Structure formats: structure tokens, C-alpha cells
């Protein structure tokens, strides 16, 4: 019954960096394309991912969500390929493929039997520079994206609450905008908008190619050179900083939506690896997330769900590898008969404890054991290993950052955890939203209409 | 994400290949079946103990299987929930329990370093064999379950799914949702759960799947140790066959959502079904393929009517559902349903083209190795093969069987098994 945290990326994947015990082979082509290769010979499979340094946090007002829209249009043909042909070729080669857009990246991937890697490179290189944007295709795909928004957000009260919450918590950071975009922005994209966005960001010198699998690095570099090498680089103008301004007091919001249960979201403004004055602060916040929500023995589950029984579910989360300052998030569902206020007070009590009491040695030991074990577990997935490298590289941390993770987390002390709690978990940094459930008016038994076919 | 992964049901529970060739199988002293695939590359192991104790065994107490499973790790032997969680988490192990309609399982992922491994396995063994069902834990978990059941009434897609199963399965034990109903969970008592546990969590009703860095001997010892204190017990009676619905039916549930959710289908295929491969490959062409299928083409690519549209067979011990579905804004729901039905009807009447069949085979066999390229995926297959008594060479012969499917076989199987006159169709959304 763990609930999703608002700051999770659109794809809903929860990420923790891991120790990369395996060597990474790196090369940068003359046109600026960075290539990262990790060998994994357990199975005759290769994952290929292309990561572009663009996502919803790069978007100006009026065209929010355009990175995601462009992601959809990337399947709609190039000078060489008809709409949909990309997917048919991948499918005929036994491939799995898809794409996802986050706040800080847009990524495309294929997983194929290893001998088909060339197919993937050929097609990805083609659409990196030769996309053909057709208005007729845009009009149809816009409908698809509206439906996607309705499905993901509009008909999901908690998702909608999280969307509104982000817009409340951030003043000027682009993280205030939803990845899929605000409704009227989606309605008004033009082919010219998409063309401009594609020209601005899709180039080899703004991308990273990641390959994980049963491959031989030299051969992969040669293959990459063959297909991506001839592509022309662009002049990439760096995105403006848009650093979030200081928050000057607690922010509160009520969201009234038809739903069956109340729900609460809270977030404190915190730095990430990219922005922290002292890097250890980000690792200390990471440890804090583990203390609060790193399993069933962690404080929220043990203290609030089982102990006080004030919540039927409670979670906390933090992404330390975001590009910009983040929110350290809490979300929880009150137990029957408990109010939002009581639940908020109970969460705050846990937070106060972190500020004034040192966490127990057993708690730190547990987190370290989990981090170490995860570093092994995560190697079970080639896709995940690729994602680690891709994200770290794309947000500007560099893929090597993942190698430091276990060691850096291990060095965090109880005093450092207390220090970041004191520094960042203040009311001035806090935003709170209550979802207050409204009756679901139309759903009454009598209105059930039955008819024979 | 360009498309949600909902339509993958069949593929994910379907098949896969690396260590496929060597599933080792034996029986423990008390008669539990064990299936083991060595995977020596990473110092970790996945273990699943699975019982025929899913919600199809609920009887009239809908939700009892799920609640029994949920209570297991809240108190066992001398430990309470906190202590159990600490024992696993202090060694970095991940433990979980769950139920589906057919199965109830306990799962463990742990490192194989003996100090860590032994503590994790000992904890799992205690949970498995000495759960306490303490009254206070029971009351709390029941409340949490009831909150979850209430909350699901705010999700149009969940409402559609529940109504769909009800329509397709009528009085069959597959008809109700695994989590149960508010009215049937409320009266449950801790002693009911204890009885359910005693009846179904027994060695002859158990199977163990192990994938990871253990020797055969270690795997044998682990399985013996885990189940040693379980009584042999009895296998439960066979589940009844699923009856086909007498006639097609359409049901609308009014709900204030922007989209109307559509689900349509009927009882489909089961494990060990002779028609399975024809239906599976046929469905891949109809609506099972991720970004390439007739439904994807007709509903999304040509008309932009939905983000997600799919069809699947979800084979179970008895006939699991064949289902098609989509979500679309309410004013075009009728149009979308027409496309859905038209696409199905054409497919049943004419079958796929040779080109479509070739492309589907290329996709399925070309990507065959990716079906079990991780320990996580592998253990899913091992459990499926063991639980449903599929041949141990299921994965080895999989590609052969896919390649043997013909256009005529698909047409014939769909015509016999998917009668569009009998479709049960659910819509959830605003009145149109």
C-alpha cells in the first residue's frame, strides 16, 4: 500500500544510484556524442538508450509539456521512414522499445538480442537529426496525449493533488510544471513549436548513448562511429538557471476533488547533489529518507502506521540526482476517524525527533546494509544500470557519481543527519496540501444501467 | 512514457530462455515440489514459496486469502512486526507476500553471504510456519484493507475491472476481486484467518522456486529447512470449470470521470490449453504487441482515440479472461467501442495475414531471450511452470511452438474460443 511520491518522474520509476562494480567504457565522438558502455554477459542481450539533455524543466511558459509531445512525435517518421515504421522494424527484430520524458531528460530505448544492436543505432541516429514533423500526424497524436493526461492526472485525484502541490511549492523553478504539460499548453502546440524544440535540443552534442549488455566495447564504439559519427553537431544554448527563490513562509493548499479517502502531501525545499553547498548534505538527506521510509521497519511504517495507527499508509522520498533543488516529500493517508491536522502533527513529531535526537546506530546500520545489498540487486537489471548512467550523465553529475554512492552513504553520521534535519526541515521551507474528498456524486447504485447486448 | 505497460499481462506471465534449459526439480520429504535454476553470476538469490491459496479459495469470505497473506509477517514465532522487519532489513533482504486469484506466495530476495542469508531464511521460515495472527495486528490490517477497498471506489479503471470479472465469471470463484469486498471483509475474525492458514498453507499444497547463486545441495537444504515445520496436509479440491456466459451483455457504471473506461471480453485460455499458442500469437497481432498491433494501429495511430488500448489472454488454472480495452473521452466512447468491436470481428472472421504472422513470430522469437534475462523474470517463469505443472522444457520448446502456429490455426482457435456474441462489456464514465 505504499503510495507514490509526488516528485517521482512521470515514468514512476524510483531511483537510487548504485555502486558500479563493473568498468564503464567511455568515448566522445568528434561531433560531441558521449558513449558509455557497460558489459554484462549474463544473457545474450543488449540495451541501448539515447538520453537527451532536455525535459520539462527546460520548457518556458506556454509550451509546457512540449518535450513529452516531441517524444511521441519521434515515432512519426523521418525523411527515410514512414510514421510507425520505426516501431515495426524494431518489433520485427524482436526488440522491446519505448521512450520516457522526465523533468531533466528525454530518453529512448531498445532492448534487443545482442546481434541486433546495429538496427537500433541506425534508427536512433536517423531520428536524432532527420525527424519529419507532419501536421496531420501531430493532430492525431495530440489527441493521444490529451487522453494520456486524462488517464494519468485528470481522473486521478491524488495525481492531480500532486500536480497542484508542485505548482504551490515552487515559485519560479520549472519543477512547478507537470511533465505532461498544462492543458491549454498541450492544446496549442504547433508544428513550428515542435520543429523549433527539436532543432534546439536534438543533436549528438546534447545526447548520451548508453549501452549495457553482452557486447564487446570496441565493436560497439565502431558501430556507433559508423551511424552516429556523420551527424552534425548543433550550437546548444545552455538552459537558463531559473534557481528557485528563497521561500519566506509555510504554504498551504486545500484540494477539493471527488474521492473516497483524504490524503496529505508535504514537502521541504532541499538541495541535491548538483546544488548542495556541501555534497554530504545530499547524502545525509538520502539517509534520512531511508530512516523514515526505507522499509517496513523504518519510522513511518513502524511509528505511524503500526504504532500510533494514525495513518493507513505513509511515505517519504527524495531524489538526490535531480538537476535543480528538490522537495523532500512526505505523503500519507489518515486512518479512519483521523484528521489531516492530526496526521500532519504526527508527521511533524517524527520530523522534530530527527532534529533533536540522534538516530540510532541500528538504524544507520540497517540503511548501510540495504544500500550494499541494493548495489548487488540492481545489477540484475541491465536496463536499470543503463538508467543510472544515463540520468547522472544527463543532469550534469557525470556517470561516475554512481560509483561513489555506497561509500558516501556509508560515511554519513548520526550528527550529519540531525544537522540537515535542523537546517532544512523548517516551516519556512514547507508546503502542505490536503486533499479533501468530495462526494462522488454520480455513483449511486440506482443509476447503474443494464442492458442486454 | 509513450505507453503504459498494462497490456503486457500475458507476455509477462508467459515465457523466457537463458538458464531455461536447466530447471532442476525435486520433491521435499513432506511432498512439496521444488524448482531450481542456478544463477551463479551475482551473489544473490530469489526464493518464492507458493501455495494454491489465492482468492479463488475464499469461499464466501471474499478477501480472506489476501488478509491471511497480509497478516503473515505482522507476527511470527517470538517476533512482532517491527522485529521481523528489522531482521530482514538489517541484512538488506527484501521480503514480501501476496495473492492472485490462483496463488498465495511469500517471496525473498537476499544476498548469499552465509551470515546474511541464514538470518533471512530463518526469518522467512518462522513466518511461513509459525504466524501468530495476533488480534491487535489483525484489527489494524483489517482496517487498512477496508480503507483500501473504499479507496478503490474512486478509480474508474478499478471499478471497470471489478465489474468485468463479475460479468465474465458470474458465480465462479474467479468472479470477485482478490482483495475482497467491504461487506465480506468486515465480518472476518482472526480465527477465520488461522483456519484458512491451517487448511491451505501445508506442504503438499506448496511449491518452492529458487533462482540464484546456490548449489543444488544448498537449494535442497534451503527448501527442506523452509518447509520442515509445515504439516503435510491435503491438496485442496480442484477449482470448478468456468462456464461460458449464456449471452452477451453490456453494463454501464455512471462515474464522474473525464474518460470512459471500456473493458470487453469473456473466459479465454488456461494453462495447459492446447489452443494456447495459437491464441497467444494471434492476440499478439490483435492487441498484444506493445507499439505494433491491429488495435494500436486502428485505435491510436489512425484515429488518436486512446493513449492505451490492448487485448490479452491472462491464462490461469481455469480459463482466465480474454479482455480488450481502452480509455477515451466520453463523447467519443461509442466510436472507440465500435472500432474495438470491428477490429475484433474482422480478426475473428479473417484471421491475420501471412505478413502479420511472420512479423509477430519474428518479434516473439527474436526477443525470446529477453523474456528471462534477469533473475526476477526467471523466477516468475519457474513459479509459473511449477505451479501449473507445465513441462520442464516449456521454455526450450516455446519458440518451436510459436513457429508452428499458422494463419489457419489462429483463425480456427479464435473462431472456436472468442465468440463475439458472448462478449461482456463494461463501461465506466459519465452518461453519454
Amino acid at each position: 500500500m505504499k503510495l507514490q511520491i509526488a516528485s517521482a518522474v512521470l515514468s514512476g520509476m524510483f531511483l537510487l544510484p548504485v555502486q558500479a562494480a563493473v568498468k564503464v567504457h567511455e568515448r566522445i565522438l568528434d561531433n560531441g556524442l558521449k558513449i558509455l558502455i557497460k558489459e554484462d554477459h549474463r544473457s545474450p542481450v543488449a540495451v541501448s538508450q539515447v538520453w537527451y539533455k532536455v525535459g520539462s524543466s527546460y520548457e518556458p511558459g506556454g509550451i509546457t509539456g512540449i518535450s513529452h509531445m516531441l517524444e511521441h512525435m519521434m515515432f512519426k517518421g523521418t525523411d527515410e521512414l514512414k510514421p510507425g515504421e520505426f516501431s515495426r522494424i524494431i518489433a520485427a527484430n524482436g526488440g522491446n522499445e519505448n521512450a520516457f520524458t522526465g523533468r531533466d531528460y528525454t530518453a529512448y530505448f531498445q532492448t534487443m538480442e545482442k546481434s541486433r544492436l546495429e538496427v537500433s543505432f541506425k534508427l536512433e541516429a536517423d531520428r536524432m537529426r532527420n525527424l519529419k514533423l507532419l501536421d496531420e500526424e501531430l493532430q492525431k497524436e495530440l489527441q493521444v496525449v490529451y487522453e494520456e493526461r486524462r488517464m494519468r492526472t485528470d481522473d486521478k485525484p491524488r495525481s492531480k493533488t500532486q500536480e497542484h502541490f508542485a505548482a504551490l511549492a515552487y515559485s519560479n523553478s520549472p519543477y512547478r510544471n507537470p511533465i505532461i504539460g498544462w492543458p491549454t499548453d498541450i492544446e496549442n502546440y504547433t508544428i513550428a513549436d515542435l520543429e523549433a524544440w527539436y532543432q534546439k535540443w536534438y543533436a549528438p552534442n546534447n545526447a548520451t548513448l548508453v549501452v549495457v549488455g553482452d557486447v564487446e566495447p570496441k565493436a560497439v564504439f565502431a558501430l556507433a562511429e559508423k551511424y552516429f559519427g556523420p551527424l552534425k553537431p548543433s550550437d546548444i544554448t545552455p538552459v537558463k538557471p531559473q534557481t528557485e527563490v528563497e521561500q519566506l513562509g509555510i504554504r498551504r493548499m486545500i484540494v477539493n476533488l471527488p474521492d473516497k479517502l483524504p490524503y496529505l502531501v508535504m514537502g521541504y525545499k532541499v538541495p541535491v547533489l548538483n546544488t548542495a553547498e556541501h555534497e554530504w548534505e545530499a547524502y545525509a538527506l538520502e539517509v534520512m529518507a531511508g530512516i523514515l521510509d526505507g522499509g517496513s521497519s523504518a519510522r513511518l511504517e513502524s511509528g505511524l502506521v503500526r504504532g500510533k495507527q494514525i495513518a493507513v499508509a505513509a511515505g517519504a522520498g527524495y531524489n538526490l540526482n535531480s538537476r535543480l533543488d528538490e522537495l523532500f516529500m512526505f505523503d500519507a493517508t489518515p486512518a479512519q476517524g483521523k484528521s489531516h491536522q492530526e496526521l500532519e502533527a504526527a508527521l511533524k513529531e517524527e520530523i522534530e525527533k530527527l532534529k533533536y535526537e540522534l538516530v540510532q546506530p541500528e538504524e544507520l546500520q540497517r540503511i548501510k546494509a540495504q544500500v550494499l545489498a541494493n548495489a548487488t540487486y540492481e545489477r540484475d537489471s541491465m536496463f536499470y544500470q543503463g538508467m543510472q548512467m544515463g540520468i547522472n550523465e544527463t543532469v550534469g553529475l557525470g556517470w561516475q557519481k554512481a560509483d561513489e554512492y555506497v561509500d558516501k552513504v556509508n560515511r554519513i553520521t548520526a550528527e550529519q543527519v540531525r544537522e540537515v534535519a535542523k537546517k532544512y526541515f523548517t516551516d519556512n521551507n514547507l508546503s502542505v496540501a490536503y486533499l479533501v474528498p468530495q462526494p462522488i456524486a454520480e455513483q449511486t447504485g440506482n443509476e447503474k444501467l443494464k442492458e442486454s447486448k | 512514457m509513450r505507453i503504459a505497460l498494462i497490456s503486457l499481462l500475458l507476455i509477462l506471465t508467459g515465457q523466457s530462455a537463458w538458464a531455461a534449459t536447466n530447471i532442476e526439480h525435486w520433491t521435499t520429504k513432506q511432498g512439496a515440489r521444488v524448482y531450481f535454476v542456478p544463477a551463479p553470476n551475482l551473489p544473490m538469490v530469489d526464493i518464492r514459496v507458493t501455495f494454491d491459496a489465492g482468492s479463488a479459495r475464499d469461499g464466501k469470505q471474499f478477501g480472506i486469502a489476501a488478509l491471511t497473506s497480509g497478516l503473515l509477517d505482522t507476527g511470527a514465532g517470538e517476533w512482532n512486526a517491527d522485529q521481523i522487519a528489522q531482521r530482514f532489513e538489517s541484512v538488506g533482504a527484501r521480503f514480501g507476500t501476496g495473492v492472485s486469484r490462483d496463488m498465495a506466495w511469500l517471496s525473498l530476495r537476499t544476498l548469499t553471504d552465509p551470515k546474511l542469508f541464514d538470518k533471512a531464511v530463518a526469518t522467512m521460515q518462522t513466518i511461513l510456519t509459525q504466524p501468530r495472527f495476533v488480534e491487535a495486528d489483525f484489527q489494524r490490517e483489517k482496517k487498512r484493507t477496508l480503507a483500501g477497498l473504499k479507496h478503490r471506489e474512486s478509480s474508474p479503471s478499478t471499478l471497470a475491472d471489478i465489474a468485468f470479472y463479475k460479468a465474465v465469471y458470474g458465480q465462479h470463484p474467479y468472479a470477485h476481486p482478490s482483495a475482497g469486498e467491504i461487506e465480506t471483509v468486515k465480518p472476518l475474525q482472526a480465527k477465520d484467518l488461522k483456519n484458512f492458514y491451517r487448511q491451505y498453507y501445508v506442504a503438499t499444497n506448496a511449491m518452492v522456486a529458487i533462482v540464484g547463486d546456490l548449489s543444488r545441495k544448498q537449494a535442497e537444504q534451503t527448501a527442506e529447512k523452509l518447509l520442515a515445520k509445515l504439516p503435510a496436509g491435503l491438496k485442496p479440491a480442484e477449482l470448478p470449470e468456468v462456464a461460458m456466459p449464456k449471452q452477451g451483455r453490456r453494463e454501464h457504471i455512471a462515474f464522474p470521470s473525464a474518460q470512459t473506461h471500456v473493458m470487453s471480453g469473456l473466459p479465454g485460455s488456461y494453462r495447459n490449453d492446447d489452443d494456447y499458442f495459437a491464441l497467444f500469437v494471434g492476440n499478439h497481432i490483435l492487441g498484444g504487441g506493445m507499439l505494433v498491433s491491429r488495435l494500436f494501429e486502428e485505435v491510436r495511430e489512425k484515429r488518436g482515440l486512446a493513449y492505451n488500448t490492448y487485448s490479452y489472454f491472462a491464462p490461469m488454472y481455469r480459463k482466465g479472461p480474454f479482455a480488450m480495452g481502452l480509455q477515451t473521452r466520453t463523447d467519443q466512447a461509442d466510436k472507440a467501442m465500435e472500432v474495438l468491436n470491428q477490429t475484433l470481428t474482422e480478426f475473428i472472421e479473417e484471421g491475420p495475414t501471412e505478413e502479420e504472422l511472420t512479423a509477430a513470430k519474428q518479434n516473439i522469437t527474436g526477443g525470446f531471450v529477453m523474456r528471462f534475462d534477469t533473475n526476477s523474470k526467471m523466477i516468475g517463469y519457474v513459479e509459473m511452470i511449477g505451479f501449473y505443472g507445465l513441462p520442464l522444457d516449456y521454455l526450450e520448446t516455446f519458440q518451436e511452438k510459436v513457429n508452428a502456429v499458422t494463419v489457419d490455426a489462429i483463425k480456427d482457435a479464435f473462431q472456436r474460443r472468442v465468440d463475439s456474441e458472448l462478449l461482456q462489456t463494461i463501461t465506466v464514465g459519465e452518461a453519454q
Side-chain angles (χ1 to χ4, degrees), chain B residues 51-64:
Chain B
F51 297 90
D52 178 347
S55 64
R57 300 295 178 187
D58 278 347
K60 287 182 178 141
Q61 296 173 301
F62 300 168
I64 190 170

Side-chain angles (χ1 to χ4, degrees), chain B residues 328-391:
Chain B
T328 191
R329 72 167 200 266
T330 296
D331 66 350
Q332 58 190 15
D334 280 343
K335 184 179 164 198
M337 281 166 72
E338 221 180 279
V339 175
L340 207 62
N341 287 328
Q342 183 64 31
T343 307
L344 176 69
T345 309
E346 264 178 41
F347 190 79
I348 294 172
E349 279 169 13
E350 292 158 25
T353 63
E354 286 291 346
E355 294 73 49
E356 284 176 314
L357 179 60
T358 305
K361 286 180 180 175
Q362 281 171 346
N363 181 245
I364 296 167
T365 60
F368 181 63
V369 287
M370 283 131 56
R371 290 170 180 267
F372 41 87
D373 59 357
T374 66
N375 294 5
S376 306
K377 291 187 204 167
M378 191 70 208
I379 197 156
Y381 279 100
V382 175
E383 181 188 46
M384 179 190 85
I385 289 166
F387 188 85
Y388 293 109
L390 300 174

Side-chain angles (χ1 to χ4, degrees), chain A residues 425-443:
Chain A
F425 289 1
T426 67
D427 271 2
N428 268 358
N429 269 337
L430 175 64
S431 301
V432 186
Y434 292 171
L435 166 61
V436 179
Q438 305 298 308
I440 300 179
E442 289 183 51
Q443 197 204 13

Side-chain angles (χ1 to χ4, degrees), chain A residues 77-126:
Chain A
T78 63
D79 300 340
E80 299 280 314
L81 295 180
K82 290 197 286 283
E85 213 177 331
F86 187 106
S87 297
R88 279 193 287 277
I89 294 171
I90 296 294
N93 280 280
N96 287 335
E97 57 147 353
N98 216 320
F100 48 91
T101 306
R103 296 178 306 183
D104 303 325
Y105 49 76
T106 309
Y108 301 82
F109 68 88
Q110 295 83 34
T111 307
M112 320 254 269
E113 193 276 320
K114 64 176 176 177
S115 69
R116 322 288 176 99
L117 191 61
E118 184 166 7
V119 177
S120 156
F121 281 13
K122 188 176 175 201
L123 294 176
E124 285 294 2
D126 179 36

Side-chain angles (χ1 to χ4, degrees), chain A residues 284 287-288 291 358-371 409-415 417:
Chain A
V287 168
M288 184 111 70
I291 304 262
L358 289 174
V359 297
Q360 297 298 308
E362 309 83 72
E363 290 179 292
L364 283 180
Q365 186 278 332
R366 164 180 57 85
I367 286 161
K368 289 167 187 179
Q370 288 174 315
V371 162
V409 166
N410 272 328
R411 280 197 224 162
I412 294 302
T413 64
E415 285 77 14
V417 173

Side-chain angles (χ1 to χ4, degrees), chain B residues 152-174:
Chain B
R152 96 188 161 187
E153 291 169 12
S154 64
S155 162
S157 62
T158 310
L159 290 174
D161 192 70
I162 291 171
F164 175 72
Y165 270 85
K166 247 176 219 161
V168 169
Y169 289 103
Q171 297 303 310
H172 192 273
Y174 285 166

